Amino acid sequence: MTTEQHTFTAEVQEILNLMVHSLYSQKDIFLRELISNSSDALDRLRVEGHSDPALVPEGELEIRLEVDAEARTLSISDNGIGMSRGEVVENIGTIARSGSREFLSALRQKQAGEQDAATADLIGQFGVGFYSTFMVAERVSLVTRRAGTDEALRWESTGDGTYSLDPADRAYAGTTITLHLKPTDEEDGLRDYTDQFVLREIVKKHSDFVAHPIRMKVEREEPVLDNAGNPVEGVLPKKVVEDETLNSMKAIWIRSKSEVSAEEYHEFYRLVSHDWQDPLATIPAAMEGAFNARILLYIPSKAPFDLYHRERVTKSVQLYVKRVHIMDDWKALLPEWLRFLKGVIDCEDLSLNVSREILQHDRQVKAIRSFAVKKTLEAIDRLKRDEPEKMRELWREFGAVLKEGLAAAEDDYRDRLLGVTLAASTVGDELTSLDDYLARMKPDQEAIYFLVGNSLDAIRQSPLLESFAKRGLEVLLFTDPVDEFWLEREPSYKDKKLVSISKGEIDLGETPEDADGEDASPPPALDGLLQALRTYLQDDVKDVRVSGRLTDSPVCLVGDANDLSPQLEQMMRQLGQDPPKTKRILEINSTHPFIGKLSELEAGNAPTSALEIYARMLYGQAILAEGGTLPDPGAYSRVLMDVAQLAVGVAPSSSEPSGPATDANDNDSATTDEPSTAPPSDA
Ligand code: ADP
């Protein structure tokens, strides 16, 4: 049996290096990290034990601390699930955890000079799991045996870039981690971790509500008693060693809100979420009546990296039955659009053997699920009302996920969700709520207007906004992919319909200036131009019409009320679907001087090639103006060159522009009688 030497991945080496040289003063937290790993391992054993009872040990599931003051070691053991060889290499040698990854990426963003302080700060924020042991130990060994196997393994490292693996002996499944402690150095935050008082205090502070007993052998002195039960004088007390359970295990979610401090709630959050930043909101609640349950849910302050990999969202909400951890599967307990929540749901009246299948159909679970959703929405409402800055933070992190609830057909929470929905707007730079929009709305305004696009920068420039701006009408701006889906359902909020300004015909009536009588020249007759544009662009658009929504730009693209938007079409293609290509409608601004001029050109029998070039230019311009992507940028750059050549009086190089053949005399030269648009070429 030989020792194998392995090298840590570069990222782990980086973290280890930081841990070994850490200036972080709260070194005690290593213990809570190890205890919390052990507690997870016990939970997992219990869960796997449901389907394979042979895995569960006869004795109690527990976590044990053991010290050897002379050898200066501290060990933490559990009789949990243990790890196979593959799992050890995967979990302890590489960087599996999101927390560590975020830790490193946050650290790398700091300037070199700030790094020491930043490391300390970030260890506090993220915790770094198992690796934090190297803050207090010069050597760490881990002996583990996966439940259901008889192979045990010893992992050992000094945190210097490599670790060794050896076969080992271990009588039962579980894991023991032994720390060979660095010398005590109180100034440096290194306390004596072989001292039972120190350990007791740390466990009480950080791990009191771990649901498994954390035990330690403690020594105490007991007076020697006589037959009457009185201490015998002159006889030294005897030393008794006995087991002490260091944590109260009192499920924090069972206690009433008034009994629990914010700090305790946050500490529990760290335990269940492995996130070391404080949550944005804590939601404790009790459901009483036909069914009884307690919930303690948290809204984290940052979205986890796997938020959009639904299958992989882990450590969301855990199901307990009468204080016993049953499973991690949040899917029966919460709708998908609340998958970012962390915490615990404890049901009083379910069977301990409840299975995933039963959960999905159980009436009680349905009722508890509604309760949890209701309480969460109430908490978000409160944030919106009392802490607008936090509310915006929540929306930036989780708004897109919450809006999945607006898109989901089966959910009855749409009104409540609309009530907390925030959006960017043409008024101000802050996110705004629909209620604030309604409050600012013009007295006779009938709808809540919105525009969807790929990015805020792009849609803020959209020509579609022009006439709304001119009339002082606010438009909400949406840029998340999910917005297409829920807004397509044409929701209403407080009796006002949400109306897309990029679809259907919009007639906003006269602008204030028009009403004053200025600028009110009637639109020129544009029929000829419209017809010509329809012909030239017949492959690209389904109609060309006069716009009711433009004031400054010459053209824009819009859809029919029931058309797929270009974003939705693109998204469906990305999802592997093949929606029919939706042609859009080109709207022209009848008051724009260029359009007027073009109409005159058309009426004066200008050469078709010049008109077609302008038509193509306008179409491309409409795509660019809304931040869209040109289908063929090369062809468009040739169109622009043609336009430029027309402007300086040189014949366009491609006198037959790419595109549909026209019924007019093709291959017309650009020579024209109209010098202002296309001076005679010298060709
Ligand atoms: P985290 O616990 O946040 O995932 P760690 O670095 O502390 O990160 O641990 C990495 C992984 O190692 C854990 O996710 C778990 O799979 C495994 N692990 C750690 N300690 C134990 C243990 N006592 N028993 C079983 N597995 C463990």
Side-chain angles (χ1 to χ4, degrees):
M1 303 237 179
T2 48
T3 301
E4 282 178 26
Q5 218 51 44
H6 291 250
T7 312
F8 289 113
T9 62
E11 282 170 315
V12 173
Q13 289 195 32
E14 204 173 327
I15 289 202
L16 285 173
N17 193 27
L18 291 167
M19 288 304 121
V20 173
H21 302 289
S22 170
L23 301 174
Y24 185 53
S25 56
Q26 310 275 312
K27 300 205 160 48
D28 299 354
I29 60 150
F30 81 92
L31 190 58
R32 109 181 142 193
E33 306 271 334
L34 294 183
I35 288 176
S36 121
N37 283 347
S38 284
S39 168
D40 286 351
L42 294 169
D43 285 343
R44 285 185 51 204
L45 180 73
R46 179 132 61 194
V47 171
E48 289 192 18
H50 289 315
S51 48
D52 185 359
L55 295 182
V56 184
E58 301 212 330
E60 201 181 355
L61 295 179
E62 61 170 11
I63 299 165
R64 277 205 167 266
L65 307 185
E66 209 172 307
V67 296
D68 181 336
E70 259 165 52
R72 294 214 33 83
T73 60
L74 162 66
S75 65
I76 295 92
S77 306
D78 61 70
N79 49 353
I81 195 76
M83 282 177 274
S84 67
R85 187 191 172 78
E87 285 166 333
V88 171
V89 173
E90 174 71 16
N91 296 333
I92 311 284
T94 56
I95 182 163
R97 233 162 71 90
S98 58
S100 319
R101 222 179 271 281
E102 280 170 23
F103 172 84
L104 272 188
S105 75
L107 191 68
R108 283 174 185 150
Q109 281 161 20
K110 305 277 175 187
Q111 297 298 319
E114 298 171 346
Q115 289 224 341
D116 277 350
T119 312
D121 214 35
L122 292 169
I123 293 172
Q125 268 180 43
F126 292 112
V128 257
F130 177 79
Y131 305 118
S132 63
T133 49
F134 288 97
M135 294 196 296
V136 300
E138 42 208 22
R139 181 156 59 90
V140 177
S141 81
L142 172 152
V143 174
T144 187
R145 175 172 151 189
R146 179 71 166 77
T149 72
D150 47 19
E151 188 201 356
L153 188 72
R154 173 189 299 276
W155 175 104
E156 197 161 291
S157 176
T158 52
D160 60 353
T162 62
Y163 61 90
S164 62
L165 286 181
D166 283 294
D169 283 328
R170 189 178 160 98
Y172 55 93
T175 304
T176 299
I177 291 164
T178 304
L179 309 181
H180 298 265
L181 295 163
K182 290 181 181 174
T184 304
D185 180 350
E186 296 276 350
E187 245 171 61
D188 203 17
L190 273 171
R191 300 160 79 193
D192 181 2
Y193 301 112
T194 61
D195 179 337
Q196 66 185 49
F197 294 99
V198 170
L199 295 175
R200 194 185 276 130
E201 181 210 307
I202 300 175
V203 169
K204 205 74 203 151
K205 177 159 171 215
H206 293 296
S207 312
D208 193 49
F209 26 62
V210 167
H212 304 279
I214 304 166
R215 300 209 167 101
M216 181 169 70
K217 294 240 179 298
V218 293
E219 210 180 69
R220 95 189 145 69
E221 294 186 341
E222 198 170 85
V224 178
L225 305 179
D226 60 19
N227 289 341
N230 299 316
V232 183
E233 292 227 6
V235 177
L236 286 176
K238 56 179 179 187
K239 288 201 187 316
V240 190
V241 178
E242 60 185 12
D243 262 352
E244 179 179 318
T245 302
L246 306 179
N247 56 330
S248 72
M249 290 184 281
K250 197 163 173 199
I252 186 171
W253 59 92
I254 298 300
R255 292 158 59 189
S256 82
K257 268 183 259 182
S258 55
E259 278 178 39
V260 184
S261 70
E263 189 36 48
E264 282 175 294
Y265 274 136
H266 291 178
E267 196 66 67
F268 183 68
Y269 171 69
R270 277 170 218 147
L271 182 74
V272 288
S273 68
H274 290 227
D275 172 11
W276 312 106
Q277 279 164 289
D278 285 347
L280 269 183
T282 303
I283 311 164
M287 174 175 172
E288 277 150 9
F291 302 123
N292 297 296
R294 297 274 187 158
I295 66 171
L296 176 51
L297 301 175
Y298 297 91
I299 302 176
S301 55
K302 283 269 170 297
F305 74 111
D306 55 3
L307 188 59
Y308 293 97
H309 300 264
R310 288 168 207 208
E311 294 315 313
R312 286 173 30 208
V313 175
T314 49
K315 302 206 171 102
S316 173
V317 169
Q318 306 178 0
L319 173 67
Y320 278 67
V321 172
K322 295 185 265 293
R323 257 72 66 217
V324 177
H325 177 263
I326 303 294
M327 63 179 85
D328 260 345
D329 195 356
W330 54 272
K331 287 196 177 155
L333 302 169
L334 291 171
E336 295 248 354
W337 48 272
L338 286 180
R339 62 182 175 276
F340 56 87
L341 292 178
K342 306 276 178 193
V344 168
I345 294 184
D346 190 350
C347 308
E348 277 304 311
D349 317 299
L350 279 180
S351 143
L352 287 176
N353 295 319
V354 65
S355 69
R356 284 197 167 79
E357 292 66 41
I358 293 178
L359 277 183
Q360 316 225 309
H361 307 290
D362 188 88
R363 267 179 55 233
Q364 179 181 181
V365 174
K366 286 210 173 84
I368 291 168
R369 176 184 148 119
S370 307
F371 179 75
V373 172
K374 182 168 152 257
K375 287 290 156 190
T376 305
L377 288 171
E378 281 170 15
I380 299 179
D381 262 337
R382 274 196 300 279
L383 273 190
K384 182 179 158 218
R385 194 187 58 217
D386 304 334
E387 297 180 271
E389 194 34 60
K390 276 194 179 172
M391 177 64 204
R392 284 192 281 270
E393 230 175 295
L394 178 148
W395 200 257
R396 279 190 287 270
E397 295 297 319
F398 304 111
V401 178
L402 286 167
K403 285 186 285 190
E404 289 175 22
L406 291 170
E410 76 276 20
D411 278 308
D412 358 288
Y413 305 106
R414 228 166 279 140
D415 280 352
R416 299 289 307 272
L417 271 173
L418 278 175
V420 297
T421 292
L422 299 187
S425 144
T426 50
V427 172
D429 294 328
E430 289 284 14
L431 294 173
T432 185
S433 70
L434 298 188
D435 285 318
D436 289 344
Y437 181 102
L438 293 180
R440 284 190 292 262
M441 209 156 124
K442 303 249 169 206
D444 53 350
Q445 191 178 329
E446 281 173 5
I448 298 174
Y449 295 111
F450 71 85
L451 180 59
V452 183
N454 290 329
S455 81
L456 263 192
D457 285 346
I459 49 177
R460 281 194 191 281
Q461 306 299 324
S462 169
L464 300 175
L465 294 169
E466 289 169 2
S467 58
F468 288 84
K470 203 147 209 166
R471 288 168 176 80
L473 294 172
E474 179 175 0
V475 179
L476 298 177
L477 308 172
F478 291 101
T479 53
D480 287 320
V482 63
D483 291 324
E484 289 288 348
F485 292 97
W486 71 272
L487 286 164
E488 205 199 13
R489 301 173 155 262
E490 304 189 336
S492 294
Y493 182 65
K494 301 202 171 156
D495 290 336
K496 297 282 179 194
K497 201 159 162 188
L498 277 82
V499 169
S500 167
I501 67 162
S502 71
K503 283 187 175 178
E505 294 205 49
I506 287 207
D507 181 8
L508 295 173
E510 294 179 324
T511 63
E513 290 115 78
D514 295 340
D516 289 348
E518 300 165 25
D519 213 49
S521 44
L526 292 169
D527 289 349
L529 179 62
L530 289 173
Q531 200 46 51
L533 292 175
R534 284 184 197 121
T535 310
Y536 298 133
L537 299 175
Q538 60 182 316
D539 277 3
D540 304 299
V541 299
K542 62 180 169 191
D543 195 12
V544 183
R545 69 185 179 209
V546 174
S547 183
R549 60 191 114 205
L550 292 173
T551 58
D552 300 331
S553 300
V555 284
C556 66
L557 284 164
V558 299
D560 266 335
N562 297 321
D563 283 352
L564 285 184
S565 70
Q567 290 87 356
L568 198 55
E569 206 179 302
Q570 186 190 351
M571 223 178 318
M572 288 171 73
R573 295 228 151 78
Q574 282 164 356
L575 292 171
Q577 298 173 18
D578 190 17
K581 168 123 190 61
T582 313
K583 282 194 200 170
R584 300 173 73 204
I585 298 164
L586 185 74
E587 286 193 350
I588 62 173
N589 178 355
S590 62
T591 61
H592 196 283
F594 183 72
I595 297 294
K597 198 76 198 165
L598 218 50
S599 175
E600 285 171 26
L601 274 180
E602 195 278 333
N605 288 325
T608 9
S609 60
L611 279 175
E612 183 167 358
I613 288 166
Y614 291 133
R616 302 210 157 276
M617 182 209 68
L618 285 174
Y619 174 62
Q621 201 251 329
I623 296 178
L624 291 175
E626 64 179 15
T629 313
L630 292 167
D632 184 350
Y636 193 64
S637 81
R638 288 192 293 279
V639 169
L640 288 185
M641 198 56 220
D642 285 344
V643 172
Q645 293 193 203
L646 282 173
V648 297
V650 177
S653 41
S654 57
S655 49
E656 186 185 17
S658 59
T662 67
D663 53 349
N665 21 346
D666 42 6
N667 283 338
D668 232 336
S669 94
T671 318
T672 168
D673 300 338
E674 183 51 79
S676 66
T677 1
S681 84
D682 48 12

